[in-house]
Amino acid sequence: MEQSKIEALIQEMTLEEKLGQMTQLGAYYWGVDPSVDLTGPLNEMKVTAEDVKNVGSTLNYLGAKEVKALQDRAMAEHRLHIPMLFMADIIHGYKTSFPIPLALSCSFEPQNYENATSVAAAESAASGVQLTFAPMSDLVRDPRWGRVMESPGEDPYLNCVMTAAAVRGFSGDDIKKKGKVASCVKHFAGYGASQGGRDYNWVDISTNSFRQYYLASYKAALDAGARMVMTSFNVIDGIPSSANKMLFRKILREEWGFDGATISDYAAVEETITNGLAENGEDAARRCIEAGVDIEMMSTNYINYGKKLVEEGRLSMELIDQAVRNILNLKNDLGLFENPYKDASEEDEKTLHLCSEHRRLALEAAQQSIVLLKNENQTLPLKKGVKIGVAGPFASSDNTSGGWALINGKDESSLAAGFRKAGVEFVSAMDQSVVSMSEGSFDVEDEAESAMEAMQDCDVLIAAVGESPSDTGEAASRAYLRLSPNQEKLVMAMKATGKPVIMVVFSGRPLEIKPVLPYCDAVIQAWFLGTESGNALTSVLFGGYNPSGRLAMSFPQTVGQIPVHYNCYRTGRPYYGQEDHYVSKYLDCPNEPLFPFGFGLSYSKAVYSDLQAEARDGVIRARVTVTNESRIPMKETVQLYIHDLFASVVRPVKELKGFLQIALAAGESRTVEFEVTKEMLKFYNDQMEYVFEPGEFEVMVGPNSRDVEIRKVTL
Ligand code: GLC
């Protein structure tokens, strides 16, 4: 529809209809379930069924048939027949579930994330979804926070690369196209820095860090075409994000020129009252509309107080018109005025959901997201015919999709199913699933003794352990990160048999696995890999796939070490293992993480040689030769880090500025080259100007953030 018609529509709308467009309610409020009496919920929201007829969007209502029916009803009942916008949390898959985003990031292959979101878009669009509340691109440095699973991890550069890939997959180059959905980047901003890793907590981030590290990936999402931005639950600089003009007016609109729509997180407008900012609903509505939040999700202060605020001259109609314009433009760009159902199609649901091509892409992504953390005595890969014992809560559990998986594909998600499909004989024991901590004891029954008896004829023992998928994602913060006591006991009992022990860890975050590490000959970080989890793990365990995953988030030695991330500052008293007492170190724990960012093993060995670096014509160039010194093909992620030695503000001891994943045949050598421009070396100085400063730089290249070779250049 031409822009002039959008403007005409805005002029024709009443104030109530405008405020309705600025509200999002669950489909429930349209009485989609006639058997349910809505009186209570409507009263609680202080709205009437008449008000609901003006509401402009809904969330997490799925199904081609259901969405079409609701759209028909909503448009028929709306005076101007404006189509509704159907939004949903399609984070890492719809029917075909892909690895959690933190795992996808460990593949260091953006194409995997793009494939995941492209499949998720196609499958969910067929079920009526038009916009997804994704990608989540919050920078995370604290695994106590349950939502690290949704994030691309601790590094700003990797987050930008992965976030842009996610938006490309969801939205492509035109959200109107079939099988594409609009992207909504979240949570703006800084939510990953919640104090103490406790969800919904406030954040305390210095302006310099906020600008330098936390904002980058949201901007990358917008540059890649995201059309909506969601507020975050946290307070930042004393103001809840949903009422924060610095975020939504200054940075988002003025500095970044964003012209899309914005939406609050769930009831976050209402929570500006709970936070102690707004005095009441009227104040909440005024503050959040003035801050630039176009849609109020699942609270109704805009509907309840917007009219009064305008009539009393305390809120400008211009702000309301702009919010409505942002919303209608988004609906128009999705083509909803011409095709209000967009891609909803029962036929496509049948052909697309869990189709073989989607499962193939999910298997590929899952294989590449697995990280091999330890492999001694060539325990892995396993040889066919070896007698395997598998014990632990994830031996047979098919709930391997993790948080925010709307639907878990069941048939080959478990390790046991993967073994069976591959024709692997195994004995399983002590395999009841671990329950969520919120359901009481999160420990499994102690059946270690009987499990060892059951597996006494096995040659190799696998401990399939981890945390409940329900204990990851939103509202799932943990103050302790160890495996449950009986899971640790199982690993130790396995070791006591004298047989090789392989620990496979299923989690949505780096867990504190140091206590059991000595008892394991091999350790695989399996994250939550989705529909193809069982098949992917089987292929890695038996060498069908040579593990190539590298950590996108550091593993702490202990929870007491958090936050621990690789791109930290040197301090005035750096500790390099010297005897000095007065240096920056713990008395009872190393400074380094247990496993660093970028770390991961393969069944092969890449040898780096002949690193050269030079600065010429304003560009740093580095080249290195990488040789696959093994007899099997491999994928190696060559990583480039930079340390700006001296600047007007201190700079991290290293920052990822490039990575290249290369395939190497057995014995093959390749020379890899990187270029780092002045633009890539810019940072916020002490005047908060984004500048490049000439000087000395360390150039570091290696297989992870720890084992690097260093060269010095001057630019
Ligand atoms: C939740 C989450 C947000 C999600 C929204 C809608 O509270 O914080 O990520 O998109 O509500 O479900």
Side-chain angles (χ1 to χ4, degrees):
M1 187 156 78
E2 302 81 44
Q3 196 57 40
S4 57
K5 289 195 175 161
I6 296 282
E7 294 308 322
L9 190 52
I10 294 172
Q11 295 316 312
E12 199 182 348
M13 289 167 79
T14 65
L15 178 51
E16 289 83 349
E17 288 163 344
K18 292 175 182 176
L19 294 166
Q21 285 299 310
M22 295 168 69
T23 301
Q24 178 173 100
L25 289 178
Y28 182 78
Y29 287 91
W30 276 266
V32 289
D33 180 350
S35 68
V36 176
D37 174 4
L38 272 182
T39 314
L42 287 171
N43 290 343
E44 195 184 321
M45 281 282 191
K46 300 195 285 291
V47 292
T48 65
E50 272 313 297
D51 293 329
V52 174
K53 288 178 182 174
N54 285 331
V55 168
S57 62
T58 188
L59 72 161
N60 292 327
Y61 190 61
L62 306 166
K65 186 161 167 257
E66 293 77 4
V67 165
K68 284 180 173 179
L70 181 55
Q71 186 70 295
D72 286 346
R73 255 194 58 202
M75 289 180 71
E77 292 172 354
H78 193 284
R79 183 177 70 88
L80 298 170
H81 312 301
I82 296 174
M84 280 242 287
L85 215 173
F86 289 80
M87 308 186 193
D89 290 291
I90 309 297
I91 311 299
H92 53 104
Y94 179 52
K95 295 288 186 178
T96 305
S97 187
F98 280 72
I100 55 174
L102 185 60
L104 286 168
S105 210
C106 292
S107 74
F108 272 78
E109 174 44 88
Q111 192 59 52
N112 283 318
Y113 206 166
E114 185 171 339
N115 291 344
T117 54
S118 182
V119 165
E123 291 193 355
S124 60
S127 289
V129 176
Q130 298 157 354
L131 176 144
T132 178
F133 296 130
M136 183 274 220
S137 71
D138 303 327
L139 184 81
V140 294
R141 293 172 162 174
D142 188 336
R144 292 173 295 180
W145 193 50
R147 302 197 75 165
V148 300
M149 56 132 308
E150 300 171 61
S151 163
E154 74 182 46
D155 178 72
Y157 178 87
L158 183 61
N159 282 12
C160 289
V161 169
M162 289 295 170
T163 294
V167 172
R168 286 196 303 271
F170 279 130
S171 303
D173 57 4
D174 180 352
I175 53 178
K176 200 178 295 177
K177 279 184 179 164
K178 184 171 165 61
K180 291 303 171 191
V181 296
S183 303
C184 170
V185 66
K186 66 186 185 183
H187 306 79
F188 197 66
Y191 184 26
S194 296
Q195 281 283 331
R198 185 154 50 87
D199 207 355
Y200 313 122
N201 218 353
W202 76 94
V203 304
D204 251 340
I205 311 175
S206 72
T207 305
N208 191 285
S209 290
F210 184 61
R211 289 275 180 172
Q212 185 67 35
Y213 308 117
Y214 285 88
L215 283 180
S217 49
Y218 306 113
K219 180 71 167 51
L222 301 182
D223 291 347
R227 293 297 308 279
M228 184 175 272
V229 177
M230 182 186 291
T231 69
S232 55
F233 285 119
N234 57 278
V235 165
I236 180 164
D237 287 343
I239 311 278
S241 152
S242 300
N244 197 306
K245 290 180 181 175
M246 181 270 287
L247 292 179
F248 285 86
R249 290 283 178 213
K250 185 171 184 307
I251 295 175
L252 191 64
R253 301 288 185 187
E254 289 167 25
E255 291 182 23
W256 292 357
F258 178 63
D259 63 356
T262 58
I263 188 169
S264 79
D265 202 337
Y266 200 104
V269 169
E270 182 75 14
E271 289 173 14
T272 59
I273 304 168
T274 323
N275 266 297
L277 180 88
E279 289 174 29
N280 49 41
E282 215 173 281
D283 198 21
R286 179 182 61 78
R287 287 174 179 273
C288 295
I289 293 173
E290 285 183 348
V293 177
D294 298 334
I295 300 176
E296 176 178 16
M297 180 200 294
M298 284 305 282
S299 55
T300 49
N301 297 289
Y302 288 10
I303 289 181
N304 292 334
Y305 307 105
K307 188 165 193 293
K308 181 169 183 285
L309 286 164
V310 169
E311 286 167 354
E312 291 175 2
R314 292 188 289 138
L315 183 63
S316 95
M317 179 65 94
E318 198 185 314
L319 288 182
I320 288 181
D321 286 349
Q322 186 52 56
V324 173
R325 186 173 296 112
N326 295 337
I327 298 162
L328 296 183
N329 283 344
L330 177 56
K331 293 185 176 185
N332 196 30
D333 290 348
L334 281 161
L336 299 184
F337 288 100
E338 292 78 25
N339 171 15
Y341 302 152
K342 195 168 184 304
D343 306 327
S345 155
E346 290 175 82
E347 193 45 47
D348 287 347
E349 286 180 312
K350 293 191 188 84
T351 54
L352 290 174
H353 291 171
L354 279 162
C355 67
S356 55
E357 174 57 10
H358 290 176
R359 296 192 67 146
R360 183 187 69 78
L361 292 171
L363 174 61
E364 228 176 58
Q367 288 170 328
Q368 295 178 45
S369 302
I370 291 166
V371 186
L372 177 63
L373 295 175
K374 182 178 180 182
N375 188 25
E376 289 177 358
N377 320 315
Q378 296 192 322
T379 303
L380 290 174
L382 296 172
K383 295 173 182 53
K384 283 274 185 196
V386 68
K387 284 193 189 142
I388 297 171
V390 191
F394 288 94
S396 309
S397 167
D398 57 15
N399 186 357
T400 56
S401 292
W404 292 108
L406 283 171
I407 293 99
N408 292 316
K410 295 290 183 197
D411 49 1
E412 283 154 24
S413 306
S414 71
L415 189 56
F419 278 8
R420 280 192 290 272
K421 186 176 179 194
V424 171
E425 302 262 315
F426 65 98
V427 171
S428 66
M430 191 172 156
D431 64 353
Q432 88 272 29
S433 298
V434 61
V435 296
S436 164
M437 294 185 194
S438 52
E439 294 162 29
S441 161
F442 75 117
D443 207 349
V444 292
E445 292 302 316
D446 174 10
E447 297 169 354
E449 197 175 331
S450 59
M452 293 315 110
E453 271 168 43
M455 303 192 292
Q456 60 187 322
D457 297 336
C458 295
D459 307 321
V460 171
L461 303 180
I462 296 177
V465 295
E467 64 178 343
S468 163
S470 313
D471 291 345
T472 69
E474 186 175 354
S477 303
R478 294 178 59 175
Y480 299 91
L481 294 177
R482 289 177 61 162
L483 292 169
S484 65
N486 288 335
Q487 291 190 72
E488 290 192 346
K489 186 174 176 183
L490 171 67
V491 176
M492 289 184 262
M494 285 184 167
K495 190 60 193 168
T497 66
K499 300 170 194 238
V501 176
I502 299 156
M503 181 168 72
V504 182
V505 184
F506 294 76
S507 65
R509 56 173 36 106
L511 291 178
E512 187 175 331
I513 59 174
K514 184 176 183 180
V516 290
L517 195 59
Y519 300 94
C520 305
D521 298 284
V523 176
I524 280 180
Q525 175 59 29
W527 304 114
F528 289 113
L529 296 168
T531 304
E532 292 293 331
S533 174
N535 295 325
L537 286 166
T538 303
S539 68
V540 165
L541 284 163
F542 283 90
Y545 183 78
N546 180 6
S548 57
R550 301 290 183 259
L551 292 178
M553 191 171 184
S554 307
F555 271 60
Q557 303 265 357
T558 168
V559 74
Q561 197 184 27
I562 292 168
V564 57
H565 49 90
Y566 85 94
N567 43 358
C568 53
Y569 295 125
R570 194 165 35 197
T571 79
R573 298 191 176 193
Y575 175 55
Y576 302 120
Q578 71 276 32
E579 281 312 306
D580 299 12
H581 182 67
Y582 298 98
V583 287
S584 180
K585 73 177 191 304
Y586 299 102
L587 295 177
D588 55 358
C589 176
N591 286 357
E592 296 71 29
L594 184 66
F595 296 108
F597 174 83
F599 178 81
L601 301 173
S602 300
Y603 297 145
S604 46
K605 177 85 182 134
V607 174
Y608 287 64
S609 59
D610 193 19
L611 171 61
Q612 298 168 27
E614 61 169 1
R616 193 159 34 89
D617 308 330
V619 175
I620 293 175
R621 289 182 178 81
R623 53 185 301 155
V624 68
T625 300
V626 184
T627 303
N628 172 5
E629 287 202 344
S630 70
R631 292 195 300 277
I632 56 171
M634 72 178 294
K635 267 203 183 91
E636 177 66 3
T637 299
V638 185
Q639 300 161 39
L640 171 87
Y641 298 87
I642 290 283
H643 179 197
D644 185 347
L645 287 166
F646 301 96
S648 57
V649 294
V650 297
R651 310 289 298 116
V653 294
K654 58 187 76 162
E655 293 179 277
L656 183 69
K657 291 294 181 186
F659 63 87
L660 199 60
Q661 194 167 89
I662 56 175
L664 291 171
E668 182 185 2
S669 283
R670 269 189 49 192
T671 298
V672 172
E673 296 186 355
F674 292 98
E675 276 196 3
V676 181
T677 63
K678 289 181 178 177
E679 186 60 31
M680 292 163 70
L681 295 170
K682 282 185 174 180
F683 62 93
Y684 286 93
N685 67 9
D686 52 342
Q687 304 302 316
M688 288 312 292
E689 298 149 339
Y690 195 54
V691 298
F692 165 76
E693 289 180 2
E696 271 197 306
F697 295 85
E698 285 178 331
V699 180
M700 295 162 270
V701 177
N704 58 64
S705 61
R706 179 189 65 199
D707 308 321
V708 290
E709 275 212 52
I710 303 176
R711 297 289 182 273
K712 252 189 198 170
V713 296
T714 302
L715 185 65

Coordinates of all heavy atoms in Angstrom, one line a residue, residues 617-646:
D617 N 50.2 0.8 4.5 CA 49.1 1.5 3.9 C 47.8 1.6 4.8 O 46.7 1.4 4.3 CB 48.7 0.9 2.5 CG 49.9 0.7 1.6 OD1 50.8 1.6 1.8 OD2 50.0 -0.3 0.9
G618 N 48.1 1.7 6.1 CA 47.0 1.9 7.0 C 46.3 0.6 7.3 O 45.2 0.6 7.8
V619 N 46.9 -0.6 6.9 CA 46.2 -1.9 7.2 C 47.2 -2.8 7.8 O 48.4 -2.9 7.5 CB 45.7 -2.5 5.9 CG1 45.1 -3.9 6.1 CG2 44.6 -1.6 5.2
I620 N 46.7 -3.6 8.8 CA 47.5 -4.6 9.4 C 47.2 -5.9 8.6 O 46.0 -6.2 8.4 CB 47.2 -4.9 10.9 CG1 47.7 -3.7 11.7 CG2 47.9 -6.1 11.4 CD1 47.3 -3.7 13.2
R621 N 48.3 -6.6 8.1 CA 48.1 -7.8 7.4 C 48.8 -8.9 8.2 O 49.9 -8.7 8.6 CB 48.6 -7.7 6.0 CG 47.7 -6.9 5.1 CD 48.2 -6.8 3.7 NE 47.3 -6.0 2.9 CZ 47.3 -4.6 2.9 NH1 48.2 -4.0 3.6 NH2 46.4 -3.9 2.1
A622 N 48.1 -10.0 8.3 CA 48.8 -11.2 9.0 C 48.6 -12.4 8.1 O 47.5 -12.5 7.4 CB 48.1 -11.4 10.4
R623 N 49.6 -13.3 8.1 CA 49.4 -14.5 7.4 C 50.1 -15.6 8.2 O 51.0 -15.4 8.9 CB 50.0 -14.4 6.0 CG 51.4 -13.9 5.9 CD 52.0 -13.7 4.6 NE 51.9 -15.0 3.8 CZ 51.8 -15.0 2.4 NH1 51.8 -13.8 1.8 NH2 51.8 -16.1 1.8
V624 N 49.4 -16.8 8.1 CA 50.0 -17.9 8.8 C 49.7 -19.2 8.0 O 48.8 -19.3 7.2 CB 49.2 -18.0 10.2 CG1 47.8 -18.4 10.0 CG2 49.9 -19.0 11.1
T625 N 50.6 -20.2 8.2 CA 50.4 -21.5 7.5 C 49.8 -22.5 8.5 O 50.3 -22.5 9.7 CB 51.7 -22.0 6.9 OG1 52.2 -21.0 6.0 CG2 51.6 -23.3 6.2
V626 N 48.8 -23.2 8.1 CA 48.2 -24.1 9.0 C 48.2 -25.5 8.3 O 47.8 -25.6 7.2 CB 46.7 -23.8 9.3 CG1 46.1 -24.7 10.3 CG2 46.6 -22.3 9.8
T627 N 48.8 -26.5 9.0 CA 48.9 -27.8 8.5 C 48.2 -28.8 9.2 O 48.2 -28.9 10.5 CB 50.4 -28.2 8.5 OG1 51.2 -27.2 7.7 CG2 50.6 -29.6 7.8
N628 N 47.4 -29.7 8.5 CA 46.7 -30.8 9.2 C 47.6 -32.0 9.3 O 47.8 -32.7 8.3 CB 45.4 -31.1 8.3 CG 44.8 -32.4 8.8 OD1 45.1 -32.9 9.9 ND2 43.7 -32.8 8.1
E629 N 48.2 -32.1 10.5 CA 49.2 -33.2 10.7 C 48.5 -34.4 11.1 O 48.9 -35.0 12.1 CB 50.2 -32.7 11.7 CG 51.2 -31.7 11.2 CD 52.5 -31.6 12.0 OE1 52.5 -32.2 13.1 OE2 53.5 -31.0 11.5
S630 N 47.5 -34.8 10.4 CA 46.9 -36.1 10.8 C 46.4 -36.8 9.5 O 46.6 -36.2 8.4 CB 45.6 -35.8 11.6 OG 44.6 -35.2 10.8
R631 N 45.8 -37.9 9.6 CA 45.5 -38.7 8.4 C 44.0 -38.6 8.2 O 43.4 -39.4 7.4 CB 45.9 -40.2 8.6 CG 47.4 -40.4 8.7 CD 47.8 -41.9 8.5 NE 47.2 -42.7 9.6 CZ 47.8 -42.8 10.8 NH1 48.9 -42.2 11.0 NH2 47.3 -43.5 11.7
I632 N 43.3 -37.7 8.8 CA 41.9 -37.5 8.5 C 41.6 -36.0 8.2 O 42.3 -35.2 8.6 CB 41.0 -37.9 9.8 CG1 41.4 -37.1 11.0 CG2 41.1 -39.4 10.0 CD1 40.5 -37.3 12.2
P633 N 40.6 -35.8 7.4 CA 40.3 -34.4 7.1 C 39.8 -33.7 8.3 O 39.3 -34.3 9.2 CB 39.2 -34.5 6.0 CG 38.7 -35.9 6.0 CD 39.7 -36.8 6.7
M634 N 39.9 -32.4 8.3 CA 39.5 -31.6 9.5 C 39.0 -30.2 9.1 O 39.2 -29.7 8.0 CB 40.6 -31.4 10.5 CG 41.7 -30.5 10.0 SD 43.0 -30.3 11.3 CE 42.1 -29.5 12.6
K635 N 38.3 -29.6 10.0 CA 37.9 -28.1 9.9 C 38.6 -27.4 11.0 O 38.6 -27.8 12.2 CB 36.4 -28.0 10.1 CG 35.5 -28.0 8.9 CD 34.2 -27.2 9.2 CE 33.3 -27.3 8.0 NZ 32.4 -28.5 8.1
E636 N 39.4 -26.4 10.7 CA 40.1 -25.6 11.7 C 39.6 -24.2 11.6 O 39.5 -23.6 10.5 CB 41.6 -25.7 11.4 CG 42.5 -24.8 12.3 CD 42.5 -25.3 13.8 OE1 41.9 -26.4 14.1 OE2 43.1 -24.7 14.6
T637 N 39.3 -23.6 12.8 CA 38.9 -22.2 12.9 C 40.1 -21.4 13.3 O 40.5 -21.4 14.5 CB 37.8 -22.0 13.9 OG1 36.7 -22.8 13.4 CG2 37.4 -20.6 13.9
V638 N 40.8 -20.7 12.3 CA 41.9 -19.9 12.6 C 41.5 -18.6 13.1 O 40.6 -17.9 12.5 CB 42.8 -19.7 11.3 CG1 44.1 -19.0 11.6 CG2 43.0 -21.1 10.6
Q639 N 42.0 -18.2 14.3 CA 41.5 -17.0 15.0 C 42.6 -15.9 15.0 O 43.7 -16.2 15.3 CB 41.0 -17.4 16.4 CG 39.9 -18.4 16.3 CD 39.7 -19.2 17.7 OE1 39.8 -18.6 18.7 NE2 39.4 -20.5 17.6
L640 N 42.1 -14.7 14.8 CA 43.0 -13.6 14.8 C 42.6 -12.6 15.9 O 41.5 -12.2 16.0 CB 43.0 -12.8 13.5 CG 43.8 -11.5 13.5 CD1 45.3 -11.7 13.2 CD2 43.2 -10.4 12.6
Y641 N 43.5 -12.3 16.9 CA 43.3 -11.4 18.0 C 44.2 -10.2 17.9 O 45.4 -10.3 17.4 CB 43.4 -12.1 19.3 CG 42.5 -13.3 19.5 CD1 42.8 -14.5 19.1 CD2 41.3 -13.1 20.1 CE1 41.9 -15.6 19.2 CE2 40.4 -14.1 20.3 CZ 40.7 -15.4 19.9 OH 39.8 -16.4 20.1
I642 N 43.8 -9.1 18.4 CA 44.6 -7.9 18.4 C 44.7 -7.3 19.8 O 43.7 -7.4 20.5 CB 44.0 -6.8 17.5 CG1 44.1 -7.2 16.0 CG2 44.6 -5.4 17.7 CD1 45.5 -7.0 15.4
H643 N 45.8 -6.8 20.2 CA 46.0 -6.1 21.4 C 46.5 -4.7 21.1 O 47.6 -4.6 20.6 CB 46.9 -6.8 22.4 CG 47.1 -6.1 23.7 ND1 48.2 -6.4 24.5 CD2 46.4 -5.2 24.3 CE1 48.1 -5.7 25.6 NE2 47.0 -4.9 25.5
D644 N 45.7 -3.7 21.4 CA 46.2 -2.3 21.2 C 46.9 -1.9 22.5 O 46.3 -1.7 23.6 CB 44.9 -1.4 21.1 CG 45.3 0.0 20.7 OD1 46.5 0.4 20.9 OD2 44.4 0.8 20.3
L645 N 48.3 -1.8 22.4 CA 49.1 -1.8 23.6 C 48.9 -0.6 24.5 O 48.8 -0.7 25.7 CB 50.6 -2.0 23.2 CG 50.9 -3.4 22.8 CD1 52.3 -3.4 22.1 CD2 50.9 -4.3 24.0
F646 N 48.8 0.6 23.8 CA 48.6 1.8 24.6 C 47.6 2.7 23.9 O 47.7 2.9 22.7 CB 50.0 2.5 24.8 CG 51.0 1.6 25.5 CD1 51.9 0.9 24.7 CD2 51.0 1.5 26.9 CE1 52.8 0.1 25.4 CE2 51.9 0.6 27.5 CZ 52.8 -0.1 26.7

